[in-house]
Amino acid sequence: GALGALGSLASRRWEKPTHELELQLHGAAELQAFLETAAAVALQVSGVTRGAGSRRELAVSHSVCLSPEAEVGIVFTKRSSEPIGEANIEEVVMMTTLHGSPLRSLQLAMDQVYAPLVLQDARHAALLDPKMRASIEALGSAASSAADSGGAATDSLDGILTPHDECERWRRLASGGGASRLSPE
């Protein structure tokens, strides 16, 4: 589940064994509130490191944020306010990961998931008026521009998440653009 995904996305070792982390997550008041109350619309489960050389700890919160200590996070959001149980969890809960630049993540989600699904699938495209179609296209372009101009970490290679990102990096380097921003550390 969530702990396996967190563990595979980051390389440092956890402070506690996985079974203790599972118990911590299952016993978290934030998880229970997310499952049972309408007011808790999001749940973030993160791997945080609280100092150099520290091992990763589990953090659970209703606030979605990127903190300097958080290496990776998974955010669960609700599609409706109904209590969540085994019968409806797949319909009510959506999940996304937080890792690196939120602008790059938005750009990737728009370009690689949502825009193709909404704009190219005839069932969904038929529901869009021209303004909505243009807005979706503009959001993807704006997110891409923002991420390329500094939304990704400027002094590292954190913004490279896909082979396309790597090719774009080398294309910009070859054309003389962005060499200082994208040069290896």
Side-chain angles (χ1 to χ4, degrees):
L3 292 177
L6 282 170
S8 68
L9 288 173
S11 60
R12 292 192 184 153
R13 296 179 48 90
W14 288 93
E15 183 69 28
K16 299 176 185 176
T18 304
H19 70 278
E20 288 183 31
L21 293 170
E22 289 176 11
L23 290 173
Q24 179 185 348
L25 179 59
H26 289 283
E30 295 88 352
L31 175 61
Q32 295 310 311
F34 178 75
L35 294 173
E36 298 169 1
T37 64
V41 296
L43 179 73
Q44 181 172 336
V45 180
S46 301
V48 297
T49 305
R50 305 205 189 273
S54 298
R55 290 190 168 193
R56 190 177 323 107
E57 299 174 13
L58 187 68
V60 183
S61 173
H62 289 152
S63 301
V64 178
C65 64
L66 288 174
S67 69
E69 298 91 18
E71 294 178 348
V72 63
I74 297 177
V75 177
F76 301 90
T77 54
K78 293 181 184 177
R79 293 182 188 198
S80 71
S81 60
E82 64 188 278
I84 300 169
E86 283 186 44
N88 69 349
I89 194 166
E90 291 180 16
E91 290 296 317
V92 176
V93 177
M94 293 181 59
M95 181 184 84
T96 189
T97 58
L98 291 178
H99 183 72
S101 165
L103 285 172
R104 179 64 65 195
S105 295
L106 174 63
Q107 181 260 323
L108 288 171
M110 287 301 298
D111 287 352
Q112 297 176 7
V113 180
Y114 296 107
L117 287 174
V118 174
L119 299 175
Q120 296 170 6
D121 183 295
R123 295 171 297 174
H124 300 300
L127 300 172
L128 300 176
D129 64 36
K131 279 187 172 184
M132 183 63 176
R133 175 180 289 280
S135 295
I136 291 170
E137 291 169 350
L139 177 59
S141 294
S144 181
S145 293
D148 289 344
S149 68
T154 57
D155 293 323
S156 72
L157 302 176
D158 289 347
I160 298 176
L161 301 175
T162 67
H164 174 75
D165 296 339
E166 181 70 16
C167 291
E168 285 298 302
R169 173 185 184 265
W170 288 106
R171 183 189 61 74
R172 282 190 296 269
L173 286 171
S175 67
S180 61
R181 182 175 80 80
L182 295 170
S183 61
E185 298 178 279

